[in-house]
Amino acid sequence: MASKLQAVRGMNDLLPAVTPRWHAVEQRLRAVMERHGFAEVRLPLLEPTELFARTIGEVTDIVEKEMYTFLDRNGDSLTLRPEGTAGAVRAGIEHGLFQGQLLRWWYQGPMFRHERPQRGRYRQFHQIGAECFGSPAPELDAELIAMTARFWSELGLGGLRLELNSLGSREARAVYREHLQDYLRGHFDLLDEDSRRRLDSNPLRILDSKNPALSELIAGAPSLPDHLDAASREHFDRLCELLDDLKVTYTVNPRLVRGLDYYGRTVFEWVTDALGAQGTVCAGGRYDALVEQLGGRPTPAIGFALGVERLIELLAVSGIDPVQPRRMWYVVSTPGPCRAQALRLAQDLRAGDDAPTVLVDHAGGNFGKQMQRADKAGADVALILGEEELAEGTVTVRLLRASEPTQRRVPRDAVIATVARLASEEAS
């Protein structure tokens, strides 16, 4: 017997029962970003492996253990994108777009990491992200963070906390790195295997460890904000003032670092306690040196990405359904000429941006069976075409969710107005 075909572990189907929630979230966030002047960019799923090794950092879990990397037929090493920023920077350089103007981009789509699947963490996951190129101003940081705060208010979500920190300049981090390494080496026997591996290559990542056995050790480590350079301190203080003025509540978390090597200065995360260990819903920060690092002209930049799966789950556990009810009409008819007229009626009713969803029954059977299918489909209006209606050029309109049976036979061109009138009478 042939084995049962299944999706790859950690890669999930999104079936019609759930996709309306995804559409609703994507549409609302898209609307917020467009009001802030962001334009959509669509980037390849595959990029040269070198792009991620150079941007994310070779001594990171993503590059070392999690990337889906393979050789194509030409012997080139390609990787399914594990995040979106690197591809956006590559696109801007390749197309010569970093010419001093401010660019505001957003994107959405799947990302891929070979992690152990668990709640809130998948091997194919989806992100919505935004990148701003061309300004080092803390005002831009504040505007971007305030936009993410607008996401939650638009969705009716409460309980998310904004955590904020500054990683300072590269030079300031180098000094801090030495102090941190000295401290950690003095407690080497308490470090886990991953932390010992990172001690020489990427010690700041140890501050991001999720191992609860290291929490006390990390809490006692030297504080990164105490080692900020003057320009970064001024930038961060100004950002905090701006967020206060915009009434965006935040907490300064001196242990907050980002897992990717390209970040500097501002870093932030929106976190929740409602999803267990996978509590980060949205995260981002500044990466002012990355464009130049990849061969472009010096271009300051800041961005973020949010996990769509986690956001959808957070809405569910919060009891929030982002889907707006949509009108659904169901056309039932007798066999023969009425079937063709049913198709024509449905086609006419679907015209226009405000048109309802119109389903035509194709399974046949008597009116009773067709009406049962209309009810099961969730239709609120049935449109009936029988021999009498066909002869008269009329349609019988029946409200299926009315408190009392409501039905009218009307001319075909009066269907929309009749449904609106009957619905208004029912509401009153």
Side-chain angles (χ1 to χ4, degrees):
M1 180 181 295
S3 60
K4 181 180 178 181
L5 290 174
Q6 295 181 309
V8 175
R9 185 167 179 252
M11 300 186 179
N12 302 318
D13 299 308
L14 298 175
L15 301 176
V18 301
T19 51
R21 291 197 289 276
W22 284 64
H23 291 160
V25 168
E26 290 163 356
Q27 288 165 4
R28 293 197 194 185
L29 300 194
R30 173 197 291 264
V32 172
M33 289 186 287
E34 288 180 348
R35 293 201 299 268
H36 284 76
F38 284 78
E40 183 181 10
V41 60
R42 300 196 178 190
L43 302 166
L45 297 182
L46 278 173
E47 296 277 5
T49 302
E50 180 188 9
L51 173 66
F52 301 113
R54 289 174 61 184
T55 57
I56 295 174
E58 295 191 22
V59 190
T60 61
D61 286 347
I62 295 174
V63 172
E64 289 182 332
K65 299 185 295 186
E66 297 172 3
M67 293 202 312
Y68 280 93
T69 297
F70 60 92
L71 296 178
D72 71 0
R73 293 181 180 180
N74 296 326
D76 297 324
S77 181
L78 303 178
T79 295
L80 285 168
R81 62 184 188 189
E83 56 92 43
T85 299
V89 172
R90 189 269 311 148
I93 295 173
E94 180 176 342
H95 298 285
L97 301 178
F98 299 139
Q99 302 296 328
Q101 75 272 30
L102 184 65
L103 297 180
R104 302 172 188 259
W105 287 356
W106 76 272
Y107 55 84
Q108 64 178 344
M111 309 292 168
F112 303 86
R113 296 184 189 177
H114 194 279
E115 302 181 275
R116 182 172 65 86
Q118 54 185 297
R119 180 186 179 188
R121 188 182 291 273
Y122 307 100
R123 290 176 173 174
Q124 177 178 312
F125 57 99
H126 297 76
Q127 289 185 343
I128 294 175
E131 316 290 348
C132 296
F133 301 99
S135 173
E139 287 77 9
L140 179 61
D141 302 25
E143 184 179 35
L144 188 77
I145 293 171
M147 183 176 77
T148 61
R150 177 76 66 181
F151 289 164
W152 323 135
S153 63
E154 291 282 328
L155 292 168
L157 266 176
L160 280 162
R161 303 187 312 277
L162 173 62
E163 295 188 352
L164 196 65
N165 195 22
S166 176
L167 301 181
S169 67
R170 182 176 301 176
E171 295 75 17
R173 285 197 305 280
V175 174
Y176 171 71
R177 172 188 172 122
E178 293 181 4
H179 288 281
L180 180 61
Q181 285 175 318
D182 290 343
Y183 169 79
L184 293 173
R185 288 192 182 105
H187 301 83
F188 187 81
D189 56 326
L190 300 178
L191 298 177
D192 58 19
E193 182 179 348
D194 274 350
S195 298
R196 291 177 181 181
R197 179 172 54 85
R198 293 169 173 159
L199 183 55
D200 291 321
S201 58
N202 198 351
L204 268 69
R205 286 295 316 283
I206 299 175
L207 300 177
D208 195 40
S209 173
K210 301 301 186 290
N211 184 350
L214 297 180
S215 58
E216 186 175 343
L217 176 64
I218 292 172
S223 174
L224 178 55
D226 292 341
H227 294 78
L228 288 183
D229 54 291
S232 295
R233 167 56 62 189
E234 181 181 355
H235 183 279
F236 188 66
D237 288 345
R238 177 59 176 160
L239 170 60
C240 292
E241 291 174 2
L242 292 164
L243 291 176
D244 290 338
D245 187 58
L246 292 170
K247 295 182 170 50
V248 177
T249 303
Y250 60 90
T251 299
V252 176
N253 178 359
R255 304 301 178 202
L256 176 61
V257 296
R258 300 294 300 126
L260 309 182
D261 281 0
Y262 51 65
Y263 285 109
R265 286 197 172 174
T266 304
V267 290
F268 65 92
E269 291 187 356
W270 286 97
V271 297
T272 177
D273 295 324
L275 299 180
Q278 305 303 328
T280 300
V281 176
C282 174
R286 275 207 163 269
Y287 49 96
D288 290 339
L290 184 56
V291 175
E292 186 176 11
Q293 178 185 327
L294 288 180
R297 59 190 300 169
T299 305
I302 183 172
F304 70 84
L306 64 86
V308 182
E309 282 89 350
R310 291 185 190 176
L311 182 53
I312 296 288
E313 184 177 2
L314 181 58
L315 287 167
V317 301
S318 302
I320 298 172
D321 184 357
V323 180
Q324 296 293 324
R326 182 170 176 80
R327 296 173 298 156
M328 181 183 291
W329 299 357
Y330 198 99
V331 183
V332 303
S333 62
T334 54
C338 290
R339 292 287 168 82
Q341 290 298 315
L343 290 177
R344 185 179 299 174
L345 174 65
Q347 191 74 348
D348 292 342
L349 294 173
R350 293 177 183 131
D353 293 337
D354 193 39
T357 297
V358 184
L359 301 181
V360 179
D361 188 281
H362 295 295
N366 59 38
F367 278 145
K369 290 183 178 179
Q370 293 186 57
M371 295 297 287
Q372 288 176 3
R373 288 192 287 270
D375 183 68
K376 187 175 181 180
D380 46 277
V381 174
L383 305 174
I384 303 168
L385 274 171
E387 299 298 333
E388 292 184 7
E389 286 88 355
L390 183 63
E392 297 173 353
T394 61
V395 176
T396 296
V397 176
R398 180 183 299 178
L399 299 190
L400 300 179
R401 310 298 169 188
S403 56
E404 295 183 5
T406 303
Q407 183 170 302
R408 299 283 190 280
R409 184 178 292 184
V410 301
R412 281 187 52 167
D413 60 4
V415 168
I416 293 176
T418 300
V419 171
R421 186 177 70 254
L422 292 176
S424 177
E425 292 172 359
E426 171 67 18
S428 60

